[in-house]
Amino acid sequence: MQPASVHWDIFCRIVDNYGDIGVTWRLARQLAAEYAIPVRLWVDDLHAFRQIRPELDCNATTQFLQGVEIRHWATPLPPTEPGSVVIEALACDLPDSFILAMADESPPPIWINLEYLSAEKWVQGVHGLPSPHPRLPLMKHFFMPGYTPGTGGLTRETWLYDARDEFQRDLTAQSRFWAGLGLTNKEERHFRISLFSYESASLAGLLTACGEGNQVIDLLVPMGKAVPQIAAWFGAVDARAGTTWQRGKLTAHVLPMLSQDDYDRLLWACDFNFVRGEDSFVRAQFAGRPLIWQAYRQEENAHLDKLTAFLGLYLADLPPDTAALVRAVWQSWNREEDIHALWPDWIDALPTLSAHARAWATQLAEKNDLASNLVKFINKLLKSRAF
Ligand code: TRH
């Protein structure tokens, strides 16, 4: 038996898309930068990781980025000494050999199961609960991200709001950003909307509504799942980054997948944003701009419960008519219905929605962030062991 090494191990298995690594990388980077914690981040698919962190070397088994040691999580995992804290991100199931090595430490590492984000009420009841290993002398604790007191909070870097405000004030920085994407400056009367979504039967109705509306709209679509359907709507077959299509009042620009920090800038710069999954959803809330969320589809429509729970919090301070409109638009988008008929009202409501989005972002900033809650939680566990 030996004492665990001081570093923290975070494990991330990429199930699909970018949310697993998006959430995990963001937390790892913040723990290293703001708490000087030596973090070792294990990732099974470096190619997917590289999409949001282009400087990553996919062939390196070990590399350092922004103070985080990144290790390729190979199977089987080579013999590895566990850190003092082990975070199993998004229920990714640690390798058996690593769990045995954890049980061999004295004291064993603090073991955290970092779960998916949900606004549902049950989250508060599960947050922080211990779960003993059935055979080994190990204890795992649930850590639940969330919006309300009694949950783990949301990952929010200390620099985020200052950087956002500075960028939103600085027209030169915005011009540089647009130019870097091959776009001209945003014209006062045009709407710029970013669209990050899964494939959806609602897309055609949205595009038709944008094309036929009174408003000139630039739709900015990072390369990904929605692009082939959008190309088909414009009658195009080839869809790559840099392509532009135009029909009626709508112009769509296909963007490359951006680095995570540039994606934040895109959210800050657009009039409003379509987002999905978990991490882009939270970042769009922090952007302080109106948003339409597409929840990650789950069995038995469990994602619709998540949607309802979030709307219950998000709409609480809106006038009833506007709240009903947001509910109708978000629900239709998630049920893959045609949102065409709701679109003109949505566009008209944008001034109210913008003020509300800003106020919501301010409310979120009044709460403790996930990294600080996590560090506190772990310190408390360590203290309770000392006696
Ligand atoms: O990609 P997502 O759909 O991710 C997921 C996964 O499906 C995951 O398995 C599931 O568990 C989770 O959703 C709920 O959406 P998400 O969560 O928004 O993650 C996208 C990440 O990609 C986020 O960190 C932002 C980043 N991103 C960029 O860095 N550049 C870009 O251009 C875009 C569009 C996104």
Side-chain angles (χ1 to χ4, degrees), residues 115-116 118-127 144 306:
E115 271 294 346
Y116 288 102
S118 173
E120 288 161 295
K121 284 219 173 72
W122 61 263
V123 164
Q124 296 169 21
V126 176
H127 177 61
M144 313 294 295
K306 279 191 167 187

Side-chain angles (χ1 to χ4, degrees), residues 13-23 26 51-53 90 116-117 195-196 198 221-223 225 255-264 266-267 275-283 294-296 306:
R13 194 187 297 284
I14 297 176
V15 179
D16 59 3
N17 307 318
Y18 308 106
D20 306 292
I21 187 58
V23 165
R26 203 180 282 297
Q51 294 293 313
I52 61 166
R53 207 66 235 187
L90 311 169
Y116 288 102
L117 168 66
L195 176 72
F196 181 44
Y198 305 113
V221 192
M223 223 22 222
K225 298 199 152 172
L255 306 180
M257 203 50 203
L258 307 176
S259 73
Q260 231 181 12
D261 292 336
D262 269 340
Y263 182 62
D264 265 336
L266 182 71
L267 297 173
V275 284
R276 71 184 203 194
E278 179 166 325
D279 194 52
S280 59
F281 175 42
V282 172
R283 303 309 277 189
Q294 186 180 28
Y296 181 72
K306 279 191 167 187

Side-chain angles (χ1 to χ4, degrees), residues 276-352:
R276 71 184 203 194
E278 179 166 325
D279 194 52
S280 59
F281 175 42
V282 172
R283 303 309 277 189
Q285 293 171 57
F286 291 152
R289 296 275 154 100
L291 66 149
I292 297 178
W293 176 42
Q294 186 180 28
Y296 181 72
R297 213 169 289 134
Q298 288 177 291
E299 277 172 25
E300 295 173 11
N301 283 337
H303 60 292
L304 296 181
D305 295 337
K306 279 191 167 187
L307 180 76
T308 305
F310 178 78
L311 286 173
L313 300 176
Y314 187 66
L315 302 181
D317 294 337
L318 266 177
D321 286 2
T322 321
L325 173 70
V326 175
R327 185 170 281 113
V329 170
W330 284 39
Q331 283 178 343
S332 295
W333 186 244
N334 279 277
R335 291 188 188 128
E336 301 203 27
E337 295 161 357
D338 191 351
I339 66 165
H340 185 232
L342 296 165
W343 190 248
D345 288 344
W346 177 269
I347 294 288
D348 287 348
L350 278 175
T352 312

Side-chain angles (χ1 to χ4, degrees), residues 160-182:
L160 183 68
Y161 278 41
D162 286 346
R164 177 200 69 182
D165 292 345
E166 204 177 311
F167 183 80
Q168 287 181 339
R169 267 194 309 264
D170 185 347
L171 297 180
T172 314
Q174 289 176 37
S175 296
R176 262 200 313 270
F177 177 69
W178 293 130
L181 298 178

